[in-house]
Amino acid sequence: MKLTVDNQLVTLDELRRAWLEPVTVELGDEARRRIAESNELIDEVVAHGDTVYGVNTGFGQLASERVSDDELAHLQENLVRSHAVGVGEELDDAVVRLVMLMKVVALAEGFSGVRLQLVETLCALINAEIYPLIPSRGSVGASGDLAPLAHMAGALIGIGEVRVGGNIVPAPIALKEAGIEPLQLAPKEGLALLNGTQVSTALALAAVFRTENVLAAALMAGAMSSDAIKGSDVPFDRRIQIVRGHGGQIAVAGVLRDLMRDSEIRASHAECHRVQDPYSIRCQPQVVGACLDVLRHVCKVLETEANAVTDNPLVFVDSGAVLSGGNFHAEPVALAADYLALAIAEIGALSERRIALLIDAHLSGLPAFLVEEGGLNSGFMMAQVTAAALASENKSHAHPASVDSLPTSANQEDHVSMAAFAARRLHTMIDNVADIVAIELLAAAQGIEFRRPAKSSPPIEEVVVGIRALSPPYDQDRSLAADIRRVAATVDAGAYCRYAESVLPSLSR
């Protein structure tokens, strides 16, 4: 993908594509003009000797300390070096690419006072697929994602390490091989790089895209389970959804109807005497639809934040003002991530309940634990236990991170958002749900095959064939661990998105 950063907003679709694959970034003429004008204003401030936070002062609690003009470049470099104290495993290249892209977008707005050379150098790193090694832990999400962004900034000035082609390389060597000159930072540039919510936002966006993948798979698994137990599609009737009015519910019911249309299994029991199915089947539009509405809301918040200017102070060329504020506070991202955590947990919880239903012979009408010769064989008994363990674990992970705050910087930063952790923990939850849904897909495929010779709908039968390419029918006891891993990988990779593309926020525009 080639992306020109200029007057237009970067879209959710473009962000998803930048997460999926390398991107080429360039600046448009209007962006270049804005950057240059804001930098000229910073140069004027320095020339006039005005005292401006972060330009010629210390930082945080040290903001009252004036720094001499001959030390201004040293001040910015010291900021980067002192703040690069992140710990833990490094962020993957896809997330780092999003971080770098969103930093370009923010700086190109022309409110940060940096030189055009800095933004172009950041673009050059993206285009050369040079990704700074950024530790995942160390941000509290206020004053920006300071520690992780310092590691990103370090690569621009030739310190730290980067990943190139999957290999870890010292930043100076990678820059030299790519023909990129390390920067010497000018006034305010270190602060403009470090202040910002781009790491928290990138982690949250990556979680959104992965949630879309598991939600699509969960819809397919839910349709398969409904057919496997000879459930009714009447609860998915559009008229029922319309009178309640929630958009997500209406959309999910539509997907389920499409997935189950023309099923021979459904037709075989159209006149049965069962009045109602359990809630995990019947209330899928209401539960997963609510989760879809959460996802849509979170997407709007994060799309806004991806285009936001979140450093400090901000430079307003039209009035000549340089104003200190708090756009670096990541509370919007933290609250959105916490909201998304609830939806992720619920997608997994409902899937686990359907697995429990499938293995219960009294409710499903299928062989106990989905295997012949029960007793001799335990079938899917322990697979459901694994799903229950993961669903329960997600309940703890769903506890909101944003309600916690520890003051930092000698109480100058007395309320923080914890947005980076709020977003990062989503990925553990998604891993769990991908495994849960994989187990349901395996169990539902087994259940559908017990209904032979009747067939399910064309899309469901297509998925059953795909699952059987990864996992043979379960006719006697064996370990399902490897099968679960293989199917979970297809869930996480978005293999089922095409069956629900019309309702997924980043794919339906």
Side-chain angles (χ1 to χ4, degrees), residues 85-131:
V85 291
V87 298
E89 66 276 11
E90 289 86 12
L91 300 177
D92 63 48
D93 288 351
V95 170
V96 173
R97 188 164 54 243
L98 280 176
V99 172
M100 298 168 76
L101 172 60
M102 288 188 290
K103 181 57 77 173
V104 168
V105 170
L107 297 178
E109 292 288 337
F111 296 99
S112 301
V114 303
R115 293 168 297 162
L116 180 60
Q117 180 188 2
L118 182 147
V119 189
E120 288 180 328
T121 302
L122 189 52
C123 290
L125 261 66
I126 296 171
N127 297 343
E129 298 178 36
I130 298 173
Y131 303 119

Side-chain angles (χ1 to χ4, degrees), residues 405-454:
S405 178
L406 284 174
T408 60
S409 192
N411 281 309
Q412 176 78 1
E413 298 152 5
D414 59 351
H415 181 275
V416 299
S417 71
M418 299 298 178
F421 170 66
R424 178 164 49 82
R425 67 67 147 87
L426 297 177
H427 292 275
T428 300
M429 299 181 69
I430 294 166
D431 288 343
N432 288 343
V433 176
D435 286 334
I436 294 169
V437 173
I439 293 169
E440 185 185 2
L441 287 166
L442 288 164
Q446 184 84 354
I448 284 170
E449 290 179 333
F450 276 122
R451 301 302 186 187
R452 298 295 186 232

Side-chain angles (χ1 to χ4, degrees), residues 314-388:
L314 297 178
V315 179
F316 295 90
V317 173
D318 56 351
S319 62
V322 182
L323 306 178
S324 279
N327 279 5
F328 48 63
H329 200 295
E331 192 77 3
V333 180
L335 292 173
D338 282 343
Y339 197 17
L340 185 57
L342 299 177
I344 293 167
E346 283 295 86
I347 293 168
L350 200 68
S351 178
E352 184 279 325
R353 286 293 79 204
R354 291 192 297 266
I355 298 167
L357 173 60
L358 286 165
I359 66 173
D360 187 335
H362 300 291
L363 293 175
S364 69
L366 295 164
F369 302 104
L370 299 172
V371 68
E372 299 286 6
E373 297 187 76
L376 174 62
N377 293 305
S378 296
F380 278 73
M381 180 187 296
M382 287 307 299
Q384 186 268 328
V385 172
T386 295

Side-chain angles (χ1 to χ4, degrees), residues 12 59 102 136 186 266 273 304 310 325 358 422 472:
L12 196 65
F59 307 100
M102 288 188 290
S136 59
R266 175 66 185 111
H273 299 294
T304 297
T310 55
L358 286 165

Side-chain angles (χ1 to χ4, degrees), residues 135-201:
S136 59
R137 292 171 169 82
S139 172
V140 296
S143 284
D145 295 313
L146 294 170
L149 285 173
H151 287 274
M152 182 203 74
L156 292 170
I157 64 175
I159 64 174
E161 294 179 315
V162 298
R163 190 179 287 112
V164 184
N167 299 312
I168 297 175
V169 182
I173 294 176
L175 294 181
K176 184 177 180 179
E177 290 179 350
I180 300 171
E181 284 290 324
L183 288 173
Q184 182 176 8
L185 296 175
K188 195 186 177 295
E189 290 184 339
L191 189 59
L193 288 168
L194 269 60
N195 273 164
T197 65
Q198 286 80 26
V199 172
S200 297
T201 306

Side-chain angles (χ1 to χ4, degrees), residues 6 17 38 68 91 112 233 254 308 387 428 431 509:
D6 207 12
R17 290 164 65 193
S38 70
S68 63
L91 300 177
S112 301
D233 57 2
T428 300
D431 288 343
R509 300 186 177 191

